[in-house]
Amino acid sequence: MTIRSILFGAAAAVLLASSPALAAGGETPRPERMSWSFAGPFGMYDQGQLQRGFKVFKEVCAACHSANFLYFRNLAQPGGPGFTEAQAKQVASEYQITDGPNDAGDMFQRPGRLSDHWPAPFPNDNAARASNGGALPPDLSVIAKARSYHVGFPGFITDAFIQYQEHGVDYIHALLTGYVDPPADAHVQPGLHYNTYFPGHQIAMPKPISDGQVEYTDGAPQTVEQYSEDVSAFLMWLAEPHLDARKRIGFQVMIFLLVFAGLLYFTKKKVWKNVAH
Amino acid sequence: MAHTETQDTTTRRDFLYIATGAVGAVGVAGMVWPFVSQMQPDASVLALSTTEVDLSPIAEGQIVTVQWRGKPIFISHRTPAEIKAAQDTPLSDLKDPQPDSARVKPGKDQWLVVIGICTHLGCVPLGHQGAYNGWFCPCHGSAYDTSGRIRVGPAPLNLELPPYAFTTDTKIMIG
Amino acid sequence: MEGHSTYQPKGKLAQWFESRLPIVGLIHSSAVAYPVPKNLNYMWTFGAILTFMLVVQIVSGVVLAMHYVAYAPVAFARVEHIMRDVSYGWLIRYIHANGASMFFIAVYIHIFRGMYYGSYKAPREVLWILGVIIYLLMMATGFMGYVLPWGQMSFWGATVITNLFSAIPVVGPVVVEWLWGGYSVGDPTLNRFFSLHYLLPFMIAGVVGLHIWALHHVGQNNPDGIDVKNVAKDTVPFTPYATIKDIFGMVVFIIFFSWFIFYIPNYLGHSDNYIPANPLSTPAHIVPEWYYLPFYAILRSIPDKLGGVVAMFAAIAILAFLPWLDTSKVRSAKYRPLFKQFFWIFAIVAVGLGYLGAMPAEGGYVIASRILTAYYFIHFLIILPVLGIVERPKPLPASIAEAVLAKGAKGGAAVVTGASAPETRG
């Protein structure tokens, strides 16, 4: 017992010794945790929110960002924004896609089809950089899973128990609502913009959206806050399109396994009933 | 152990074993299914299942081959003589009886659209060849007529028709 | 493996077959009649769980390989293709990605169980060393598998780990370029890692075969660490007793596994690996997968390039010498009061090294890593040899049967009921 208590003391000392380093790393505030409809064991996407988010994505984000893994057919697939196939075709046909070569060997333009992917705003990364002051707007296909924030101990352990996986969307939402006037002592370089939640606070993307910029038809408030939540949810769907199926199947699997484990437990007890062990 | 137990407990024990075994079997089957299902054509393959073809550049008497779902599709712009030959063939002469009118769209007798795969063992037949001036399969000698119907050789069926529709007078959408 | 079977083929055909290929008898002797100490606890189900995990990883991996393409410009997109378009592709990929972690969780429990109960001591030294080889092969397989999605962590993890070999004096840089197949990690590296990642699991399966063979030859250790003296009194047949217990343990483990697959599939991964590999920009924080973290901490704690690499490999290699570093004749920690305490200290040190491996290499973390690294080696090189000499173990029970009865009497939870004597079995 004594050895154990010495050890715990030593462990505590180590943690204390290392805490200044922790504090030094935490100058970017932690994004606020939102209550997402798709969080938790029974979380599902909100179709209305995904449709609104898609509108924001289409009218605002897509002007600079690509989403190469988004196909028009995805808009009508189960577990998504819930557009009909006709609506998805309609969206596709609004875009001109380069196809070819035709019989004469030339590339040509034609309206988009369901099997086409979302057309990128720039032909290649260098063109994208050239048009955006040297910064490359990242592809948004899996951005909601490619961003996170540091949770630290013991939060990272409780997250496993409460099934919190929404760090990426929290960050995107915080970033989109995090454009504020720089504090007096901040030194914002030309071409960069001050953002509370961006690591280092200096981001190349200017404030992308303002109140009333995108028109909603379902009566949802047309505010930056609402736009940010909606487009973050849409980007989560874009990154994890089968989340609904995953959680639905997961629940069935869990129920099955608990029943099976229960049966096995009693079978095991029966088998071992007459053996001391 | 059984010899120390009464009839009742034996029955209950057997039931427990059977129930556990049955639930286990269901579990294994459920686990196997995704691993079987993953080999089906995936969503990106399914989405490519239509092909649009502009017919206007195809001259009379010409056969062109386009691709649909990875298969060759023969589009034959038939001459009046070829149409007549196809229409005049009595059904009794055919191995797989089917009138020419059932193989083209109404009012579009000049356009024959068939899947270019021999119904014998899957080779691609050659156009304007063979005894019936339709298609001839070099693999095993099956000959098709100008309506793509099997006339001689080991193939059992006529060349298959893909699902297609005229979107305009000179354009078809296959699939 | 042989010698326990009472298997006699019944039919003529079965006899004919058995006299030509005695495979049914082999299965019978090793999975049905094989005597299992009756005092095994649930820690002993992890062998079966690990076998299951190896099968899960091979089956899901073979399936993923049907859809994946090991070509740098498309590898990232192909993984996303699996996640999005392939029927149940998301499920199979999450099984495989989280399965690697589950495999390591199970193997760590298995290793620590072996350490606690002295399963490495004579006559199980070869069994133990085969286990260390499996562990090494698993680390290599896991590392190469993590490179395949070709995200930022894949790329930079591959860069850092392959650069370890540049610490080799004189030939280091040549060896590293040979590993890469170029002047940096690139497409040739990805392709060869894919090939090896597919090969190594089958080598693991082979060594697992030897591991089980050795196990069945010397017999299982048990929580009391004493030898089986009377097969009839001390053991039960593998089937149904161990089989049903293993399956139950396995299903409970699958519940744990499913929690990750279905609810927190990206919890054990790193978000940077969803950013496609970019050879021009290193992520702010390179962290290996959690199961390498203790060794990563050891690597970073030594302020010398070659020294760090040597210390890291030594930390793994030292495990192979454990049977001779532990000088005590008593196997189980149950009867070694001092060793038991040092075992738990070692376990906490190992977890602590894992924690430090995930932290930035600065300030207090570095000092803590050095202390724990030193302790890691002291445990093996000083504490264990000395402990065997100075420690006074508790008296061992005379037999497994006696140990079991003592436990039943003490706990007051005797399972003996009705007319059956304790040793009665079907």
Side-chain angles (χ1 to χ4, degrees), chain A residues 1 3 14 18 22 73 141 156 160-161 163 165 238 240 242 246 251 254 261 268 271-274 277, chain C residues 38 42 83-85 90 94 241 248 259 262-263 265-267 271 274 341 345 365 368 407 415 422:
Chain A
M1 280 305 126
I3 294 179
V14 166
S18 50
L22 271 177
R73 63 185 156 83
S141 305
F156 84 95
F161 286 93
Q163 302 181 348
Q165 282 262 284
L238 185 52
E240 187 77 3
H242 297 296
R246 167 157 67 78
F251 184 64
M254 281 295 179
K268 187 250 159 195
V271 168
W272 282 82
K273 198 173 113 189
N274 296 324
H277 57 279
Chain C
K38 55 166 65 164
Y42 275 102
M83 292 294 290
R84 288 155 188 273
D85 296 333
W90 58 269
Y94 279 154
Y241 295 96
F248 175 62
W259 184 273
F262 292 105
Y263 295 124
N266 294 307
Y267 177 76
S271 55
Y274 281 106
Q341 303 205 15
I345 294 170
Y365 295 125
K407 180 181 132 201
V415 279

Side-chain angles (χ1 to χ4, degrees), chain A residues 262-271, chain B residues 9-23:
Chain A
L263 281 168
L264 279 167
Y265 176 72
F266 288 112
T267 306
K268 187 250 159 195
K269 265 182 85 164
K270 270 266 194 267
V271 168
Chain B
T9 55
T10 307
T11 318
R12 207 179 321 134
R13 187 195 67 182
D14 288 350
F15 173 74
L16 182 61
Y17 290 176
I18 290 165
T20 309
V23 171

